[in-house]
Amino acid sequence: MAKELNCAESTIKYILFVFNVIFLIGGIALLTLGGIILAQIATYDSFFDDPFATPGIILVSSGALIVITGFLGCFGAIKQSFRMLLGFAGCMTLIFVLQLVGGILAFTFQEKLDSFLEENLLEQMKLYGNPEAGDGPKITWDTMQSNFQCCGIETYSDWTFYTVLVTPPESCNCNPNDNSICNPLGYYKDGCIDDLKGFFISLQIALGAVGICFAVAEIIGIVFAIVVAFAIRRKENEESIYVTRISARPKRSFD
């Protein structure tokens, strides 16, 4: 039997239900965004170790948990289930902690980004065109230089200084008449390290902005769920006490 809540508690219950519907949609969006970010990082996977994909993986995991938790919260609010609402609050807390860990990891990785990228770019540059290394370094370098319109790590001459190449790869070629991006030799004049770093930081900013919005929503959801859950428990206790008192009354005899 549904428990009759007072006006304020009933209002919070329905707000919680609407909140969970929105939260469910947001979880699907978060899952999609995390997948896109992981796909973007995978484009330059030769330059990033697995730990740098961790924030994106956490985002995808959070999105999946939010979708499941959104269903739990919706049913808990409508069915007025004490256990489901407490389970919802617990899952929200877990997701909040998970996103907090992801934020800390993202901040930690950003501090190491400069030295890490320089080392990895140089290592992959030396493997460019090496049959033993496969096509990975070549494809990644060519994709990055074409997408970012850059050449080398700091400058186009890195290719002839650090590798056995006599000239930079074809992906460095551009129109020498376009002096905004090209040097007189027909190569992109900017190195790639700053562009790659900016690309990664922009992903981290997107993750951070989404994480903050969801963190605020999660705290509100946790508070609302606990308020409604304990209001339901109080009504259950009141009903139980009432039934016990009724049962304890002596039966009247009409003989």
Side-chain angles (χ1 to χ4, degrees):
M1 182 178 66
K3 296 86 183 170
E4 294 296 329
L5 305 178
N6 63 39
C7 182
E9 292 165 345
S10 295
T11 301
I12 292 175
K13 182 187 79 171
Y14 287 110
I15 290 174
L16 181 62
F17 176 77
V18 173
F19 168 85
N20 275 284
V21 172
I22 298 171
F23 205 61
L24 181 61
I25 296 170
I28 295 171
L30 192 62
L31 196 59
T32 304
L33 178 62
I36 292 172
I37 288 175
L38 287 178
Q40 290 288 323
I41 291 176
T43 304
Y44 309 109
D45 60 348
S46 295
F47 302 140
F48 295 106
D49 284 344
D50 290 341
F52 279 81
T54 301
I57 294 171
I58 288 177
L59 193 64
V60 171
S61 302
S62 297
L65 283 173
I66 285 170
V67 170
I68 297 170
T69 304
F71 279 113
L72 185 65
C74 286
F75 282 110
I78 293 301
K79 296 294 185 181
Q80 296 184 202
S81 170
F82 175 77
R83 290 186 178 87
M84 289 182 74
L85 287 173
L86 277 192
F88 168 79
C91 288
M92 283 290 97
T93 304
L94 176 62
I95 294 169
F96 180 82
V97 172
L98 191 63
Q99 290 175 338
L100 182 62
V101 171
I104 293 171
L105 287 175
F107 180 77
T108 303
F109 293 151
Q110 191 167 322
E111 285 188 333
K112 302 176 181 177
L113 191 59
D114 285 341
S115 60
F116 174 84
L117 282 183
E118 190 169 348
E119 291 173 5
N120 260 29
L121 286 171
L122 181 57
E123 180 183 345
Q124 295 300 313
M125 176 178 276
K126 292 177 179 178
L127 294 175
Y128 187 96
N130 186 334
E132 295 180 0
D135 294 332
K138 182 179 185 302
I139 292 172
T140 308
W141 261 108
D142 287 342
T143 300
M144 179 177 65
Q145 292 184 146
S146 298
N147 289 347
F148 292 149
Q149 296 183 326
C150 59
C151 185
I153 300 173
E154 299 285 353
T155 180
Y156 73 94
S157 61
D158 291 336
W159 284 106
T160 55
F161 186 80
Y162 292 115
T163 72
V164 296
L165 297 179
V166 178
T167 60
E170 290 185 7
S171 54
C172 281
N173 295 347
C174 58
N175 183 358
N177 293 324
D178 186 357
N179 55 20
S180 63
I181 59 173
C182 290
N183 63 25
L185 297 175
Y187 303 126
Y188 293 119
K189 61 183 181 180
D190 293 331
C192 295
I193 189 167
D194 288 339
D195 289 323
L196 189 60
K197 180 183 176 183
F199 163 79
F200 186 80
I201 290 175
S202 66
L203 294 182
Q204 296 300 328
I205 290 173
L207 285 172
V210 171
I212 289 171
C213 291
F214 270 89
V216 173
E218 285 155 12
I219 292 171
I220 294 172
I222 290 168
V223 172
F224 278 12
I226 291 174
V227 169
V228 175
F230 280 96
I232 291 168
R233 173 51 58 91
R234 190 185 69 250
K235 292 297 180 182
E236 288 176 343
N237 291 339
E238 289 174 357
E239 289 177 5
S240 177
I241 292 170
Y242 177 76
V243 170
T244 301
R245 286 178 178 174
I246 292 295
S247 300
R249 287 181 181 177
K251 295 182 179 179
R252 293 182 179 180
S253 175
F254 295 95
D255 294 338

